[in-house]
C-alpha cells in the first residue's frame, strides 16, 4: 500500500469533500525526534522517531464529524473520510459550527531557530553523557542518576479547509533533563531540572545537572510539618503547575457546558487586585507560541484577568459564535487524533517587582512550597478544589530553615487567587505546558502533616 | 500483517551494526470515541493508528526507531537508521546470511470476543452511552458527560531469535462524569468500567449501573464538608482502592526502577517488605480483564506473578532488558502504549488478595479516622518511595461507625513504610480500571483489592 505525501493526501481529501458537497478541514502533522538517555556513563537508550498523520473534521448538516489516520494510502484516506461523514451524521447539530478562511496570521520569527541539520549525533550523545556525569560526580551523596536525557524534535503543523484556508508552520526544540537520586542516612530524595531551547548551541548540560543536584540535596534532612494553616510562598514553578492544572476553568467550552465554576463571572473580581492573567501565543521565545491555532485562526495576545477582574474566557470559533463574540485564537487539538477544543498557549500570571527572597520577609512562621505531585488526580477543575502531595521548606522569621517532606497542601484555586498578597519578579515558564508564573505569597494554605 | 521475507530482511538490516538482538513491533489500531453531553451527541471521533517500531539491543543498550511508513522502503530506511545509531558508519550489508526461519506461535486466547466492536454499528454504541448518561441524571446532578470508547489493536511481534506472534486486543469502556449543583455548591462523581472484551461487556443493566454510580458519588459529596488534615487511620474501599498498592508498591517492583537501583525495594527479594497479612499478585491472565494480555509486547505469554506472599517480597515485574540487567526472569510484563514506545516492564492487573476480615470489622477497629470509599488516580517517585493518590468519596469514622461525608483529599505516604501499616485485609476483593502512565506510555491496567485498614497515613484535607 503506497503512502501518499501529506500535500497529496490533503489534496485528495479536499477533492473528496468538494465532490461530495461537504465542508472539510484537514489538520496535518509531521514530526521527528531524537531522544538519548544516559546511565552509568553509557548511552542506555537511543530513540529515533518519525510520525505523521491527518485529522479530518467534516461539517455536514451543521454537525462536525471527526476521524484520523496515520495510514496515508489512498484506500485508508477514503475510509477515513467516510468515517468522518458517518460520525457527522450521528452528531446533534448545534448551529454555530462553521469553517472559514480566517485573517492572515502574524509572523512569529523564533519558532525554528537555526535548525538541527548541522548537529551531528556524536554531539547529542556527548550532551546526554555530560548530563549524567555532571550529576553523578557532583556530590558524594548522589547515589545514581535514574534519568538523564537529551531530546530534540521538529514538527510541521498544517491546517487547510474547503473555505480556502491553507497554512502551515514549522517549529523545533532542543531539551535536556536530569533527575539525580541523593541519599543521606536512611533518607532518599530526588527532584529534576531541565533546559528547553530552540538552539542546540545554548545548551549547558553541566549547569542543568548541577542545579538538579543542588535542588535534590536541599530536600535532605526533611521532616514532616505539623498539620495547620500557614502563610505560604508558592515558588514560580509550582505556581505555574497549579495555574496550568486549573487553566480549563478559563475555557469558554467548559463554561458553556456548565462545567466551570467561573460561569457568569465575567466583569466580576475573582482574584486579589494584584492578579493579572494573560495569554499570548505571539510571545517572543514562548514555549507554546504559534502563528495560528488548530483551526487556522490567527494568534493574538489576550488579557483574561486584569487587576483581579475577569475580562475574558478562551474561545475558539464555535464557542465565540455561541457567545456572540470573536474567537481569541485558542482552538486546540491534541494532535490529529484529538477533537477541536479550547486551550491556553503561553498563559501567564503577570509578575510583580519583589524578589522571591523578599516575599519571605515578614513571615514569622510559614511555608515555601517548591513542588506538588499528582495533579492529574488531585485537582478538580469542576470545583476548583485541590489536595496534593508537596515538597517544600519551613520558613521562620523571614528565612528558610529546613526541608519538609511528604505532606499535603489543600485549598480551592479560586480562593487562592483571592489570597495572593504579593507577586515576585521571577516569572518562569514551564516548557511542556507553556504556562508561566512568578513566585507568589498567599495568606493561608492548609497543610496536612503530622 | 507483513510478509515473513520482508520482516526477515528488516531484522537482519537492523542488526547490521553489530546488535545481538533485534525485534519488530507492527501495529494497526482502530478506535472509536463517542461523547454525549446531557443526552446530546456532542462529538464522535476515532481513527487508525498505524506504524512499526524496530528495536536493536547492543548488550543492554537499546536503540529504538519507529515510522508510519510500512512500505518496504519505509521499513528498510528505519532499520538502517537503527543499525547506524550505535556509531556504525559503514555500508550496512543486508544480504549474505540466509533469512530467518520464523517459529509462528498462535497465542492462547484468554477470552473470546462475542460482539466485536468493528462489527457493531455506532448507533448501538451511542445507545449504550445514552443509557449510562440518562441513569446519572438523578438528584442534584445537572451536567452529565457520558463517553464510550473502544479500540482494536492488531499487532505483529517478530524478533531475530525467530519468534513470530500475531494477536488482536479488544478494549471497551464506558465513562460517566456527573456534576451536581445546589446554589454555589458543586461536586462531581466519576465511574469508568472497562474490559478486554467486546460489546458483550455491557449486557444487562451495566450501562445504567455505570451512570448511577457516578451520580451516587456526586450527590453524596454535594454538601460534604472538608476532609480532615493530618495523620490518622484510614479504611480504603475495595476495587479501585487498589490504586494505593499500584502506586505505593507496584511501580517500585518494575525492573525499570530496580535496574537503576532507583527503587526502595531493590535487592529485597525474600525479605519482609509488608505486614504479614498482605499478599499481592500482578495477574495478566484474568479472562476479559482490562489489564489482561494474551502475550506481552515482546511476544511472551502473559502470566500470574506473585509479588508479595504474607509480607515477603517474591518477584519483580520483568521484561527482556530488565532480565538482562537484573537477572530476574521475564514475567510477560513487557508492555507499551503503541509502536511509538519501546517496551518496558509494566503492571497488568495488580491486586491485594483477600484476607480473613470483613469490611465492618475493619471499620469497627477505628476510633477516629477516614473511610475512603472511592478513589481517583495517583503517582509515585520510585527512587524515594513517596507516593500519593486521590480520594473522591470519603466519610469520617467515629467510634467504629461511618459518619458524615467529607470532600476528596490526597492521601500521601512512603511505600517502604506504609506497606507495613496495612494491618487489616478483608475478603471482598474486586477490581477497578484505569490508564497507567509511565516510560512506555499509557496502558490499560486493573487495580484491585478488598477493603483494607491502614494504621496511619497522611490525609490532605483542610480541617
Amino acid at each position: 500500500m503506497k503512502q501518499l505525501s501529506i500535500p497529496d493526501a490533503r489534496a485528495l481529501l479536499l477533492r473528496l469533500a468538494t465532490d461530495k458537497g461537504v465542508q472539510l478541514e484537514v489538520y496535518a502533522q509531521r514530526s521527528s525526534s531524537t531522544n538519548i538517555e544516559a546511565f552509568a556513563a553509557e548511552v542506555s537508550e537511543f530513540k529515533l522517531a518519525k510520525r505523521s498523520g491527518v485529522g479530518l473534521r467534516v461539517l455536514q448538516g451543521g454537525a462536525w464529524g471527526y476521524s484520523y489516520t496515520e495510514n496515508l494510502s489512498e484506500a485508508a484516506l477514503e475510509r477515513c473520510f467516510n468515517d468522518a461523514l458517518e460520525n457527522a451524521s450521528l452528531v446533534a447539530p448545534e448551529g454555530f459550527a462553521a469553517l472559514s478562511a480566517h485573517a492572515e496570521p502574524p509572523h512569529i520569527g523564533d519558532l525554528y531557530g537555526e535548525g538541527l541539520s548541522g548537529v551531528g549525533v556524536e554531539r547529542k550523545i556527548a550532551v546526554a553523557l555530560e548530563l549524567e556525569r555532571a550529576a553523578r560526580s557532583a556530590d558524594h551523596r548522589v547515589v545514581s542518576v535514574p534519568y538523564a536525557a537529551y531530546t530534540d524534535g521538529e514538527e510541521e503543523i498544517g491546517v487547510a479547509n474547503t473555505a480556502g484556508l491553507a497554512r502551515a508552520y514549522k517549529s523545533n526544540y532542543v531539551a535536556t533533563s536530569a533527575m539525580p537520586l541523593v541519599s543521606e542516612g536512611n533518607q532518599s530524595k530526588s527532584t529534576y531540572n531541565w533546559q528547553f531551547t530552540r538552539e542546540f548551541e545554548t545548551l549547558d548540560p553541566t549547569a542543568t545537572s548541577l542545579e538538579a543536584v543542588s535542588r535534590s540535596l536541599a530536600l535532605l534532612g526533611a521532616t514532616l510539618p505539623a498539620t495547620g494553616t500557614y502563610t505560604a510562598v508558592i515558588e514560580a514553578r509550582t505556581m505555574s503547575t497549579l495555574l496550568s492544572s486549573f487553566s480549563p476553568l478559563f475555557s469558554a467550552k467548559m463554561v458553556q457546558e456548565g462545567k466551570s465554576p467561573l460561569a457568569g463571572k465575567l466583569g466580576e473580581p475573582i482574584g486579589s487586585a494584584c492578579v493579572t492573567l494573560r495569554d499570548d501565543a505571539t510571545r517572543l521565545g514562548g514555549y507554546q507560541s504559534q502563528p495560528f491555532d488548530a483551526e487556522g485562526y490567527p494568534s493574538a495576545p489576550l488579557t483574561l484577568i486584569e487587576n483581579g477582574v475577569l475580562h475574558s474566557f478562551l474561545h475558539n470559533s464555535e464557542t465565540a459564535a455561541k457567545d456572540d463574540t470573536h474567537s481569541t485564537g485558542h482552538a486546540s487539538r491534541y494532535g490529529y487524533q484529538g477533537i477541536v477544543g479550547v486551550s491556553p498557549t503561553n498563559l501567564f500570571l503577570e509578575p510583580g517587582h519583589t524578589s522571591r527572597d523578599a516575599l519571605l520577609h515578614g513571615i514569622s512562621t510559614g511555608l515555601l512550597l517548591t513542588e506538588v505531585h499528582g495533579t492529574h488526580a488531585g485537582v478538580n477543575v469542576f470545583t476548583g478544589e485541590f489536595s496534593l502531595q508537596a515538597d517544600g521548606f519551613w520558613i521562620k522569621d523571614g528565612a528558610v530553615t529546613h526541608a519538609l517532606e511528604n505532606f499535603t497542601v489543600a485549598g480551592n484555586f479560586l480562593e487562592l487567587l483571592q489570597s495572593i498578597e504579593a507577586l515576585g519578579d521571577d516569572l518562569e515558564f514551564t516548557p511542556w505546558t507553556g504556562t508561566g508564573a512568578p513566585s507568589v505569597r498567599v495568606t493561608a494554605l492548609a497543610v496536612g502533616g503530622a | 500483517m507483513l510478509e515473513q521475507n520482508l520482516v526477515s530482511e528488516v531484522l537482519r538490516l537492523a542488526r547490521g551494526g553489530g546488535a545481538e538482538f533485534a525485534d519488530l513491533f507492527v501495529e494497526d489500531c482502530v478506535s472509536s470515541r463517542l461523547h454525549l453531553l446531557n443526552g446530546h451527541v456532542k462529538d464522535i471521533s476515532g481513527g487508525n493508528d498505524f506504524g512499526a517500531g524496530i528495536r536493536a539491543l547492543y548488550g543492554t543498550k537499546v536503540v529504538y526507531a519507529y515510522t508510519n511508513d510500512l512500505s518496504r522502503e519505509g521499513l528498510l530506511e528505519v532499520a538502517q537508521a537503527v543499525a547506524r545509531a550505535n556509531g556504525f558508519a559503514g555500508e550496512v550489508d543486508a544480504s549474505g546470511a540466509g533469512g530467518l526461519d520464523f517459529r509462528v506461535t498462535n497465542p492462547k486466547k484468554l477470552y473470546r470476543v462475542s460482539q466485536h466492536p468493528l462489527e457493531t454499528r455506532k448507533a448501538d454504541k451511542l445507545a449504550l452511552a445514552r443509557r449510562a448518561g440518562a441513569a446519572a441524571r438523578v438528584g442534584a446532578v445537572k451536567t452529565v458527560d457520558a463517553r464510550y470508547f473502544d479500540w482494536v489493536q492488531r499487532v505483529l511481534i517478530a524478533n531475530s531469535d525467530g519468534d513470530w506472534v500475531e494477536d488482536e486486543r479488544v478494549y471497551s469502556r464506558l465513562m460517566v462524569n456527573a456534576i451536581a449543583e445546589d446554589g454555589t455548591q458543586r461536586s462531581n462523581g466519576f465511574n469508568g468500567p472497562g474490559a478486554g472484551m467486546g460489546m458483550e461487556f455491557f449486557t444487562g443493566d451495566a450501562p445504567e449501573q455505570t451512570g448511577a454510580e457516578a451520580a451516587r458519588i456526586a450527590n453524596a459529596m454535594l454538601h460534604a464538608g472538608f476532609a480532615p488534615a493530618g495523620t490518622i487511620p484510614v479504611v480504603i474501599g475495595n476495587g479501585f482502592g487498589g490504586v494505593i498498592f499500584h502506586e505505593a508498591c507496584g511501580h517500585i517492583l518494575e525492573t525499570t526502577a530496580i535496574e537503576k537501583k532507583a527503587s526502595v525495594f531493590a535487592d529485597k527479594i525474600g525479605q519482609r517488605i509488608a505486614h504479614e497479612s498482605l499478599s499481592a499478585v500482578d495477574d495478566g491472565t484474568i479472562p476479559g480483564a482490562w489489564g489482561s494480555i494474551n502475550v506481552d509486547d515482546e511476544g511472551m505469554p502473559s502470566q500470574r506473578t506473585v509479588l508479595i506472599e504474607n509480607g515477603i517480597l517474591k518477584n519483580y515485574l520483568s521484561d527482556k532488558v530488565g532480565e538482562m540487567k537484573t537477572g530476574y526472569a521475564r514475567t510477560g510484563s513487557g508492555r507499551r502504549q503503541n509502536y511509538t514506545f519501546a517496551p518496558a516492564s509494566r503492571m497488568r492487573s495488580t491486586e491485594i488478595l483477600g484476607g480473613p476480615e470483613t469490611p465492618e470489622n475493619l471499620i469497627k477497629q477505628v476510633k477516629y479516622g477516614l473511610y475512603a470509599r472511592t478513589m481517583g488516580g495517583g503517582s509515585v517517585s520510585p527512587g524515594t518511595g513517596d507516593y500519593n493518590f486521590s480520594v473522591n468519596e470519603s466519610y469520617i469514622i467515629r467510634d467504629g461507625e461511618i459518619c458524615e461525608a467529607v470532600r476528596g483529599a490526597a492521601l500521601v505516604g512512603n511505600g517502604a513504610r506504609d506497606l507495613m501499616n496495612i494491618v487489616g485485609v478483608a475478603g471482598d476483593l474486586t477490581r477497578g480500571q484505569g490508564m497507567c502512565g509511565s516510560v512506555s506510555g499509557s496502558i490499560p491496567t486493573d487495580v484491585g483489592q478488598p477493603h483494607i485498614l491502614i494504621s496511619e497515613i497522611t490525609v490532605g484535607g483542610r480541617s
Side-chain angles (χ1 to χ4, degrees), chain A residues 91-246:
Chain A
V91 167
E94 295 216 37
F96 299 100
L99 284 175
S100 59
H102 298 309
E104 278 302 307
H107 176 72
I108 298 179
D110 66 334
L111 295 179
Y112 195 70
E114 291 290 312
L116 289 158
S117 54
V119 182
V121 73
E122 295 72 23
R123 296 187 66 199
K124 300 178 183 182
I125 289 173
V127 168
L129 291 172
E130 172 57 14
L131 276 170
E132 200 271 343
R133 187 210 61 80
R136 184 165 32 86
S137 55
D139 191 283
H140 69 277
R141 290 166 292 181
V142 176
V143 179
S144 68
V145 188
Y147 189 74
Y150 166 88
T151 316
D152 65 45
E154 299 189 347
E155 181 177 64
E156 182 167 8
I157 289 174
V159 186
N161 66 34
T162 47
L165 180 134
R167 51 191 56 161
Y169 70 94
K170 268 169 89 171
S171 63
N172 80 340
Y173 68 92
V174 182
T176 58
S177 176
M179 189 181 74
L181 179 66
V182 302
S183 185
E184 189 165 48
N186 53 9
Q187 199 175 51
S188 294
K189 291 290 166 194
S190 188
T191 190
Y192 59 102
N193 191 40
W194 68 82
Q195 186 183 2
F196 189 100
T197 168
R198 301 197 195 274
E199 305 290 3
F200 182 88
E201 302 302 336
T202 62
L203 286 180
D204 188 346
T206 315
T208 301
S209 280
L210 291 179
E211 174 71 12
V213 171
S214 82
R215 280 176 171 262
S216 300
L217 290 174
L219 294 171
L220 287 171
T223 60
L224 194 62
T227 298
T229 298
Y230 303 104
T231 301
V233 171
I234 305 174
E235 227 180 37
R237 285 183 182 187
T238 304
M239 190 60 204
S240 163
T241 301
L242 288 173
L243 183 58
S244 164
S245 301
F246 284 106

Side-chain angles (χ1 to χ4, degrees), chain A residues 44 46-52 68 70 87 94 146 259 337 376-377 380 382 385 387 389 406 408 415 449, chain B residues 33 42 48-50 62 64-65 68 77 122 145 186 188 231 260 339-340 378 388 407 410 413 460 462:
Chain A
S44 57
F46 191 111
K47 193 168 168 179
L48 292 164
K50 271 170 74 176
R51 196 173 193 187
S52 58
Y68 73 88
E70 294 181 333
N87 290 345
E94 295 216 37
K259 295 173 192 164
Q337 294 106 325
H376 63 293
N380 186 325
F382 308 114
E385 290 167 332
S387 172
Q389 182 191 350
N406 231 352
T408 60
E415 292 169 28
Chain B
R33 306 179 204 144
K42 196 74 181 160
N48 188 186
D49 289 294
F50 181 77
V62 177
Y64 190 76
N68 299 122
E77 186 189 323
K122 284 190 180 133
D145 280 306
R186 290 164 76 89
N188 76 301
T231 302
K260 293 180 174 175
Y339 68 88
T340 69
N388 65 79
R407 297 205 153 223
R462 297 176 67 182

Side-chain angles (χ1 to χ4, degrees), chain B residues 56-124:
Chain B
L57 298 182
Y58 300 83
T60 59
K61 175 178 160 185
V62 177
V63 174
Y64 190 76
Y66 65 81
T67 181
N68 299 122
D69 186 353
L70 300 195
S71 67
R72 182 169 184 276
E73 298 69 35
L75 288 168
L76 291 178
E77 186 189 323
V78 175
Q80 181 107 356
V82 165
R84 291 191 165 168
N86 200 39
F88 178 77
E91 199 54 40
V92 178
D93 183 11
S95 61
L100 284 160
D101 198 5
F102 286 109
R103 288 180 305 278
V104 178
T105 46
N106 293 311
K108 179 173 163 255
K109 292 275 183 193
L110 296 165
Y111 177 80
R112 294 239 166 246
V113 170
S114 62
Q115 201 183 343
H116 202 284
L118 296 184
E119 290 154 18
T120 306
R121 294 180 328 136
K122 284 190 180 133
D124 295 339

Side-chain angles (χ1 to χ4, degrees), chain A residues 24-74:
Chain A
L24 172 69
E25 176 185 79
V26 181
Y27 180 94
Q29 195 177 5
R30 192 176 59 193
S31 61
S32 61
S33 66
T34 302
N35 186 63
I36 304 167
E37 287 183 33
F39 183 71
E42 287 180 2
V43 171
S44 57
E45 188 171 318
F46 191 111
K47 193 168 168 179
L48 292 164
K50 271 170 74 176
R51 196 173 193 187
S52 58
V54 292
L56 274 56
R57 185 164 73 142
V58 301
L59 180 57
Q60 190 184 33
W64 296 118
Y66 289 90
S67 188
Y68 73 88
T69 183
E70 294 181 333
N71 184 345
L72 300 184
S73 69
E74 265 193 56

Side-chain angles (χ1 to χ4, degrees), chain A residues 318-335:
Chain A
E318 189 173 357
T319 63
K322 209 174 278 188
D323 279 3
D324 198 19
T325 181
H326 296 291
S327 172
T328 58
H330 290 92
S332 66
R333 192 160 182 159
Y334 185 69

